[in-house]
Amino acid sequence: MSNLTDLTFLRGLTNGDAAKLTKYINMFLKATPDMLNNLDKYYAEKDWESLRVTAHSLKPQLSYMGIKSLEEAIKTIEFNAGHQMQLDKMPEMIAHLREQCGMAMKELEEALKTIS
Amino acid sequence: MKKEYTLFIVDDDPMQLEMLKDHLSKFHNFEVKVFPTGEECLEHLNEKPNIIILDFNLNGVNKNAMNGIEVLKIIKKDAPDVEVIMLSGQEKIEVAVNTMKYGAFDYVVKNESSFHRAENALFNIIRRFKLVKEAKLFKMLAVMFAIAFVALVILIAILYFTGHITNNVGWM
């Protein structure tokens, strides 16, 4: 099975500095569960603007962790929330995002063990 | 040692803030200060930053926080010489145009290339600062030269009318 994450960009940006790489991955691991919970919360509250802003904030972070497979999904959530389109499909899209992010975070936790 | 330029980075995303700070701190002539809200940045404007990198969406964490455009307008009103680079995940051209309309120097989309694009924008601003400084210096030199020339003409006139110099050329 191919990896969901790709740390090539981060390794390049940090010039292979293990401390910085570890710091950024840990920041992602800390922030992402809250952001995913917020997506569910704002959907339940029908707060589309907050849902859009949360997806918008998550988008670059996924990109930095090299999670390319979720690029379109997060853009669609942001766009649909902003335009209040296909809202009935939103729970399914958020669930998919949550599942994939969960797998990506496990990969990143594993990657942390090898970074030194 | 005091750094040549002070750079503020304003973003409510801690990871983006940290990554950008780390990346731009590599350049030794920048003193980098970071703020998670536009309000905090504005409170520190009296520290006279030269450049501010400002996120477009600053109300992701606190819904009542000022957004980037509001902060940009205040910066350009209170400190018009400060150059602002807007940063956003929005790829829409109209968002970029809008920020330029309010006085932003450049607009950088948050993605993998944003770090190098922000770096390029910073160096373009510095090049501009240097050109402005040189233009001011040349203007000052031109004024000084004009003053010296007028003073010389006045001195010659005084010497001529007081008889210290004449029309006669000495060796003829």
Side-chain angles (χ1 to χ4, degrees), chain B residues 98-159:
Chain B
N98 214 17
T99 62
M100 304 295 219
K101 194 175 87 185
Y102 291 114
F105 180 88
D106 205 348
Y107 180 86
V108 173
V109 177
K110 276 186 193 176
N111 56 28
E112 291 176 15
S113 67
S114 59
F115 299 91
H116 292 294
R117 286 217 47 222
E119 185 186 317
N120 285 340
L122 273 186
F123 287 109
N124 285 336
I125 290 173
I126 286 171
R127 211 169 293 138
R128 184 165 147 171
F129 283 161
K130 285 183 176 161
L131 284 174
V132 170
K133 209 172 161 182
E134 279 173 17
K136 276 184 186 166
L137 182 71
F138 284 128
K139 200 174 166 183
M140 200 174 76
L141 284 173
V143 169
M144 282 167 68
F145 181 77
I147 291 169
F149 182 75
V150 170
L152 185 68
V153 169
I154 292 170
L155 180 69
I156 290 170
I158 290 169
L159 293 173

Side-chain angles (χ1 to χ4, degrees), chain A residues 23-24 47 61 64 68, chain B residues 13 16 18 22 63 112:
Chain A
K23 177 171 70 174
Y24 302 150
D47 183 350
Q61 301 197 4
Y64 301 151
K68 305 280 181 207
Chain B
D13 173 353
Q16 181 78 33
E18 194 69 14
D22 285 347
K63 285 190 219 173
E112 291 176 15

Side-chain angles (χ1 to χ4, degrees), chain A residues 7 10-11 14 16-30 65 108-109 111-116, chain B residues 15 18 22:
Chain A
L7 297 177
L10 275 188
R11 287 185 200 279
T14 59
D17 182 325
K20 281 184 187 167
L21 197 56
T22 304
K23 177 171 70 174
Y24 302 150
I25 293 173
N26 278 324
M27 288 181 98
F28 177 81
L29 291 174
K30 189 172 171 238
M65 296 298 142
L108 291 171
E109 281 163 5
L112 278 177
K113 292 175 190 167
T114 63
I115 297 169
S116 58
Chain B
M15 188 170 146
E18 194 69 14
D22 285 347

Side-chain angles (χ1 to χ4, degrees), chain A residues 23-42:
Chain A
K23 177 171 70 174
Y24 302 150
I25 293 173
N26 278 324
M27 288 181 98
F28 177 81
L29 291 174
K30 189 172 171 238
T32 304
D34 286 344
M35 291 175 108
L36 293 169
N37 289 339
N38 282 340
L39 290 177
D40 281 331
K41 176 177 167 269
Y42 294 137

Side-chain angles (χ1 to χ4, degrees), chain B residues 8-12 35-45 49 52-59 64-80 82-86 99 102-104:
Chain B
F8 284 3
I9 307 174
V10 192
D11 201 316
D12 64 347
F35 302 99
T37 65
E39 285 83 347
E40 282 183 58
C41 164
L42 294 174
E43 280 169 22
H44 289 79
L45 263 190
I52 299 176
I53 297 181
L54 182 65
D55 185 27
F56 185 83
N57 284 295
L58 284 169
N59 45 8
N64 299 318
M66 289 171 86
N67 69 35
I69 287 284
E70 288 174 286
V71 179
L72 171 67
K73 285 181 190 171
I74 296 173
I75 293 169
K76 295 312 276 185
K77 183 169 100 21
D78 293 350
V82 177
E83 292 294 0
V84 180
I85 300 166
M86 291 299 289
T99 62
Y102 291 114

